[in-house]
Amino acid sequence: MISKHIAEKFKSNLSRLRPAIGLRSKITLIACMLLTLPWIGYNYILEMEKLLRQGQEQTLIGTSRAVATALNERPNLFSDQASFLQSVQKGRDLYAYELSSPIKLDGQTNDWADYTEQMVHYGRDYVQFSRWPYQHNGIQFNHMVGKYDGYLYAIFEVNDDKPVMRRKGSSRVDRNDHLIIALTAPNGEFHRYVVSVYEDGWFNAWQINGDMTNPADLVLESQIQGYWRTTNNGYNIELRLPLAMLGSKLGFAFYDVNNTSNREIETIIGTSNTNQISKLGTVLIPSPEIENILKGMGHTSTRIWVIDRHQRVLAQSGDIQESNGVWSSSVKYGNVKSSWWTAFEEKWLHPLYYRYLINEPTEFRDSLKDAAKVEGVHISQALQGRGYSHWRRSSDGKAMILAAAYPIWLGDNVMGAVVAEESTIGIQTLRNRALEKLLNALFAIIAVGTLTLFLFASNISHRIRKLRNEAEYAIDSQGKIQHTITASTKSDEIGDLSRSLAGMVNRLGQYNHYLENLSSRLSHELRTPVAVVRSSIENLSMQEQDEDSKRYIERAQEGVQRLNTILSSMTEATRIEQSLQGAEKELFPLNELVEGCMHGYQMAYANQVFSVKTSNEPVMVYGAPDYLAQLLDKLISNAVDFSRDDHPIVVTLSQSDSQAFLTVSNNGPLLPDNMGDQLLNSMVSVRTQSQQNKPHLGLGLFIARLITGYHEGNISLRNRTDKQGVEVCVTLPVATLEGVSKH
């Protein structure tokens, strides 16, 4: 029998194989790390997107420079647009917005609903004259002008607590609330017009050729038309005049009359002073000539602004929603063939990509649409004579917009700038297409790689698990060789390990066989010299000896007897193991066997007290009574050796379902830690030197385990629950008629 130490060392080496069982999980983890490849590819495409943006930036600067070159050294494009002013004042210098549709002159503001943000409020800061201190509830108005199809349109929302109309039949136009329009003609002449009505409705303005108080100096101007409508807060005025009448200056002023008795002018509020041409404000109308120049750029995917040096828009071309960049055509027009793979992408892959990995371009809102004035660091740099580009987010933050500005030169002076703008939707769409293809390829590679690694790991794991199982089953818990390990013919590391373990188990088997036969060989070899010694001592004892010689002969006889006992013990376990193979079983009541044996133990151990508790009903077992009696002999002998004389040894036999439980409990020293199972092995003992009054090789419990195993039972040692001693529990199967018939 192999020693327990060698068996434990062998099993500890085998335990190192167990981490390899998780090799499949580790390889699967490595396969999962392949998921980092999409991240690497994603960042690579982002870097490529940066390069595309840089290319778009250079292209857009070139576009703005080309347009600016076409506008350089052309003073006629700016002189009529009031671009030579040193400064522009908000409210005083007007800007005519490009209207998307004609305005219906009805005194209602619904046609101006899309331009409410462009309206300017005129209050205290725009009062030209006030007879009394201006109050917060005094006359004030909101106003803007726009152009459409050769006409200039104007809207006035006037807040007036006491509107005073012109008296019917009166020839005076200045004794009531009225509007003064002052402008310069294209030839530079200064003209003034008055709007004064009797009641709500359609009107035409009167041109003032001299004194407004003299009706003879008023001439009806049919080209200036409008509508006056009274409201809850005052009144609204909508009017229009042909652009052909208008030069570069324009101003409006309201004359407010509150007293219907004296009808004196109390307040004058307006965009500028309408009495003198020098104090009149300017009006900037987007240049038709510049717009014609920009029409040639209308087919590009770029929005282009032309501004003067006051950052006011002179012309505009293109739509930022369509300005996707120079690559928009390559992503907008493509022949995509319909196939099962395309359908699979659209249904399954693209929703996944665009939910977690890709940002899909969405429609955004542009706050600069129809702007009269544009600002930004790129414009500031361009107006200082340097081309510049600038990235900005849309007003809702959903898109990035690239803007490039380049100066327009007139001599050594910068008269304005060309601003070109594009969104990055084209680049973003290209990036998304590239990401789709990259992710498709990567996921296909990852799927194939993961499946391959998983199968590879499964194969390795299966081989290692098989080798582990063979290694564990090769040696039982007592260190006995049960099976051999089949050496693998594979040439890899696992095959080498298999062959190494197979050779090691074979060598251990040979050593185990040597140890199993060692006791019988020693017994056989030692019995002859022991018999010679014993016969010689017996012959000496028959002769006349003195007292000292007799004493020595007696000691020699005791030593020979002790040696003979050791030799008998060495072969006892082997004899029992061999005899058990040929033993015959029978059905008998175990409780009668226990009670009969206990009577003999009581006489054999006169100084020891026994307590026996057996079942009243017969406990039938199928086995060899002689060997079960020998089993009980070993348990009682072991209990007597460790028991205290003043405490009884308790033997209990009980039955539960199909199991019989035989328990021998004694009061005495406790078992050492982790020694319960080891005491059932061969030649293991915990007896102290004082308890070694006769030869003892630690085979008693080992023989008990052999007998229990032969009867398909189980034996265990444990400390008692009260920690006052040790108990041995033997579990045997209870015989049934079915079980007996099978045997």
Side-chain angles (χ1 to χ4, degrees), residues 366-390:
D366 178 33
S367 61
L368 293 182
K369 182 180 180 181
D370 299 323
K373 184 177 181 181
V374 291
E375 298 176 342
V377 62
H378 57 299
I379 295 177
S380 300
Q381 292 292 325
L383 293 178
Q384 294 178 19
R386 296 184 292 271
Y388 198 83
S389 61
H390 174 67

Side-chain angles (χ1 to χ4, degrees), residues 700-714:
L701 293 178
F702 174 70
I703 294 173
R705 183 180 66 81
L706 292 177
I707 298 173
T708 304
Y710 170 74
H711 288 84
E712 300 178 358
N714 184 42

Side-chain angles (χ1 to χ4, degrees), residues 713-725:
N714 184 42
I715 183 171
S716 62
L717 283 78
R718 58 176 177 265
N719 293 321
R720 289 178 5 185
T721 56
D722 59 2
K723 303 300 181 182
Q724 298 298 318

